[in-house]
Amino acid sequence: MKNDDMAIATLVLGIVGLILCFIPILNFIGLLFSIIGIILGIKTKIKFNQSEVIMKGDSLTTSGIVLGIMGIIVFIIVITIMLAFTISL
C-alpha cells in the first residue's frame, strides 16, 4: 500500500514553510507555504475520513499540519523580533 500523494505534499509544504520562516527575507514565502500546507492537510484529512478504503498517510498529513502551524508561529516571532530591532534603531 502506497502513501497518499496529498499527504506527502502536505508534509513537504510544512517542512519547507517552517524552514523558510526562519530566514528573514524569505519568511513571507514560508508563510505562504505553511498556509497552503495547512489547507491541503485539512482537505486530505477530510478525504481520509470520508474514504471507505483504508489509505496510508494519515500521520504524514497530521505532521504536515503541525509543521505548518509551527511555521506560522515562527513567522510571527521573526517578524516581531525584526520590528523590535527596527523600532529600537
Side-chain angles (χ1 to χ4, degrees), residues 21-37:
C21 281
F22 279 107
I23 304 171
I25 296 172
L26 300 175
N27 57 359
F28 289 103
I29 297 171
L31 177 67
L32 180 68
F33 282 175
S34 295
I35 291 172
I36 292 172

Side-chain angles (χ1 to χ4, degrees), residues 9-10 12-23 25-41 64 67-69 71-73 75-76:
T10 301
V12 169
L13 284 170
I15 292 170
V16 172
L18 179 63
I19 291 171
L20 289 179
C21 281
F22 279 107
I23 304 171
I25 296 172
L26 300 175
N27 57 359
F28 289 103
I29 297 171
L31 177 67
L32 180 68
F33 282 175
S34 295
I35 291 172
I36 292 172
I38 291 171
I39 292 170
L40 187 65
L67 288 171
I69 292 169
I72 292 173
I73 292 170
F75 172 80
I76 292 170

